[in-house]
């Protein structure tokens, strides 16, 4: 028997035209059970809509996460950039608390001409300031989830994400398998490779519920270039070895589908997962 694996879209389903406060009812009707609210271009959700998401998700047993803005760079050598980044994460945490989000996903930053050790140190200093502001603002219900990133110019290798999560309370990793694949320019591919990733997490962090992203991805020498749908099989990473590894490890998971066909591809992933668990493939 496998543990709970939840699946859902990054953002509203492709054909959904209603208010975000009711999107979880739509997702449940599709037989999916996860939703990542996209605040990637700014946290603009009102308290009313966010609280509606919380009520609707609870009613429909949908696990909710929120993706913070892309414009975050906690590693920047510029004070004003780090200050704005902290404020954007504050906004995401506040909105996340309103909507009952169990993870606040974010990209840590960029190396910005610094060596990797220096950039990571600056990032961690910024996180310390962020947590001071979180406490002062009386935001209590939060879990930040730094994400493995897809470009070699970004802070967010697997080892960097582990170090960040080791260093702070209320931090859990977001493992984006496509980003790892693009960052490593076509690896990993095999079940053993993915087990090595999960084993590294297990050896260094107390994992019970792992938040994951998946898409097929196009990459260059610089890393991530473009997301592709599940049917575009010329692009990796391969899905089945990931699912086999997740089942073998036996934690609880949320898999957020980030393909252009996000909810429709999430259903395809669910079908493949059911076939694997039943022994059909």
């Amino acid at each position: 028997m496998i543990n709970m694996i939840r699946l859902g879209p990054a953002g509203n389903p492709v054909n959904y035209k209603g208010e975000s406060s009711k999107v979880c009812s739509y997702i449940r009707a599709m037989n999916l059970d996860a939703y990542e609210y996209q605040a990637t271009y700014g946290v603009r959700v009102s308290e009313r809509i966010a609280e509606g998401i919380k009520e609707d998700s609870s009613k429909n047993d949908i696990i909710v996460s929120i993706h913070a803005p892309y414009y975050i760079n906690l590693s920047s050598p510029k004070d004003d950039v780090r200050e704005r980044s902290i404020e954007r994460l504050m906004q995401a945490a506040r909105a996340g608390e309103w909507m009952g989000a169990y993870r606040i996903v974010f990209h840590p930053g960029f190396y910005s001409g610094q060596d990797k050790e220096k950039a990571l140190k600056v990032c961690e200093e910024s996180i310390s300031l962020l947590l001071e502001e979180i406490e002062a603002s009386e935001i209590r219900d939060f879990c930040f989830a730094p994400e493995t990133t897809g470009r070699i110019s970004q802070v967010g290798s697997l080892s960097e994400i582990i170090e960040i999560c080791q260093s702070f309370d209320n931090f859990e990793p977001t493992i984006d398998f496509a980003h790892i694949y693009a960052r490593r320019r076509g690896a990993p591919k095999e079940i053993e490779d993915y087990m090595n990733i999960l084993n590294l997490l297990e050896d260094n962090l107390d994992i019970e519920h792992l938040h994951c992203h998946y898409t097929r991805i196009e990459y260059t020498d610089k890393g991530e270039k473009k997301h592709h749908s599940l049917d575009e099989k010329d692009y990796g990473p391969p899905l089945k070895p990931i699912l086999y590894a997740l089942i073998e490890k036996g934690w609880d998971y949320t898999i957020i589908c980030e393909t252009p066909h996000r909810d429709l591809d999430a259903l395809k992933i669910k079908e493949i997962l059911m076939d694997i668990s039943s022994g059909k493939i």
Side-chain angles (χ1 to χ4, degrees), residues 77 118 125 134 253:
K118 173 64 174 176
E125 290 171 351
I134 288 285
Y253 305 94

Side-chain angles (χ1 to χ4, degrees), residues 40-52:
T40 48
Y41 296 103
V43 182
R44 301 186 180 97
V45 64
S46 68
E47 185 173 359
R48 178 186 69 83
I49 294 295
E51 289 180 345

Side-chain angles (χ1 to χ4, degrees), residues 3 195 198-200 202 244-251 253:
N3 285 15
M195 285 302 299
L198 300 179
N199 288 338
L200 191 62
E202 183 175 52
Y244 277 114
L246 295 179
I247 291 170
E248 176 68 22
K249 183 54 69 177
W251 299 327
Y253 305 94

Side-chain angles (χ1 to χ4, degrees), residues 47 96 99 140 142 157 162 166 174 177 188 210 224 255 259:
E47 185 173 359
M99 67 178 64
R140 297 285 180 254
F142 68 92
S157 68
I162 288 173
Q166 284 177 322
T174 295
F177 292 106
L210 183 64
E224 175 186 8
I255 303 175
T259 74

Side-chain angles (χ1 to χ4, degrees), residues 178-202:
H179 283 170
I180 294 174
Y181 183 83
R183 190 181 183 106
R184 298 181 183 178
R185 283 160 279 189
K189 293 182 179 179
E190 307 298 333
I191 297 173
E192 182 180 359
D193 300 327
Y194 293 106
M195 285 302 299
N196 287 339
I197 290 172
L198 300 179
N199 288 338
L200 191 62
L201 292 169
E202 183 175 52

Side-chain angles (χ1 to χ4, degrees), residues 18-273:
E19 194 175 73
S20 291
S21 62
K22 301 299 181 184
V23 70
C24 289
S25 292
Y26 187 95
I27 290 170
R28 171 52 65 191
M30 294 185 70
N31 202 26
L32 296 170
D33 43 24
Y35 171 58
E36 188 155 290
Y37 181 89
Q38 298 294 283
T40 48
Y41 296 103
V43 182
R44 301 186 180 97
V45 64
S46 68
E47 185 173 359
R48 178 186 69 83
I49 294 295
E51 289 180 345
I53 292 171
K54 182 176 183 178
E55 180 180 355
D56 194 42
S57 65
S58 178
K59 181 174 66 177
N60 288 284
D61 188 26
I62 304 293
I63 197 166
V64 173
S65 51
I66 180 171
H67 198 304
Y70 288 143
Y71 313 118
I72 286 167
N73 186 359
L74 297 176
S75 299
S76 175
K78 298 180 179 180
D79 292 346
D80 61 329
V81 173
R82 296 196 305 275
E83 289 168 4
R84 288 195 299 271
S85 298
I86 289 170
E87 177 56 32
R88 288 172 180 136
L89 278 169
M90 288 283 295
Q91 293 167 357
R94 189 172 293 109
E97 188 171 57
W98 290 339
M99 67 178 64
Y102 93 117
R103 295 286 191 274
I104 304 155
V105 179
F106 71 98
H107 301 169
F110 293 83
Y111 298 124
S112 305
Q114 307 165 103
D115 64 54
K116 293 182 178 181
E117 292 76 13
K118 173 64 174 176
L120 184 58
K121 181 180 179 181
V122 172
C123 178
E124 292 177 339
E125 290 171 351
S126 298
I127 290 172
S128 294
L129 293 174
L130 165 67
L131 293 176
E132 289 177 7
E133 294 202 20
I134 288 285
E135 183 175 3
S137 298
E138 297 186 349
I139 297 172
R140 297 285 180 254
D141 189 9
F142 68 92
C143 181
F144 287 107
E147 179 181 347
T148 53
T149 51
R151 295 187 178 94
I152 60 175
S153 60
Q154 293 175 291
V155 176
S157 68
L158 180 61
S159 61
E160 288 168 337
I161 294 303
I162 288 173
E163 180 169 334
I164 290 170
C165 292
Q166 284 177 322
S167 300
F168 299 98
D169 293 334
N170 297 322
F171 271 67
E172 297 283 348
T174 295
I175 301 302
D176 189 312
F177 292 106
H179 283 170
I180 294 174
Y181 183 83
R183 190 181 183 106
R184 298 181 183 178
R185 283 160 279 189
K189 293 182 179 179
E190 307 298 333
I191 297 173
E192 182 180 359
D193 300 327
Y194 293 106
M195 285 302 299
N196 287 339
I197 290 172
L198 300 179
N199 288 338
L200 191 62
L201 292 169
E202 183 175 52
D203 290 345
N204 290 278
L205 300 171
D206 184 17
I207 300 290
E208 294 183 359
H209 189 134
L210 183 64
H211 192 74
C212 308
H213 287 173
Y214 180 80
T215 183
R216 294 201 186 276
I217 200 163
E218 182 178 353
Y219 64 88
T220 68
D221 287 344
K222 296 180 180 180
E224 175 186 8
K225 180 180 179 182
K226 184 180 179 181
H227 289 197
H228 290 271
S229 71
L230 206 64
D231 290 337
E232 295 180 271
K233 298 187 186 299
D234 290 340
Y235 302 101
L239 175 62
K240 290 179 185 177
I242 295 172
L243 297 180
Y244 277 114
L246 295 179
I247 291 170
E248 176 68 22
K249 183 54 69 177
W251 299 327
D252 289 341
Y253 305 94
T254 298
I255 303 175
I256 296 297
C257 183
E258 292 194 312
T259 74
H261 300 160
R262 44 199 177 270
D263 54 309
L264 305 177
D265 279 349
L267 285 172
K268 292 177 181 178
I269 295 172
K270 183 169 186 176
E271 183 177 349
I272 294 168
L273 182 65

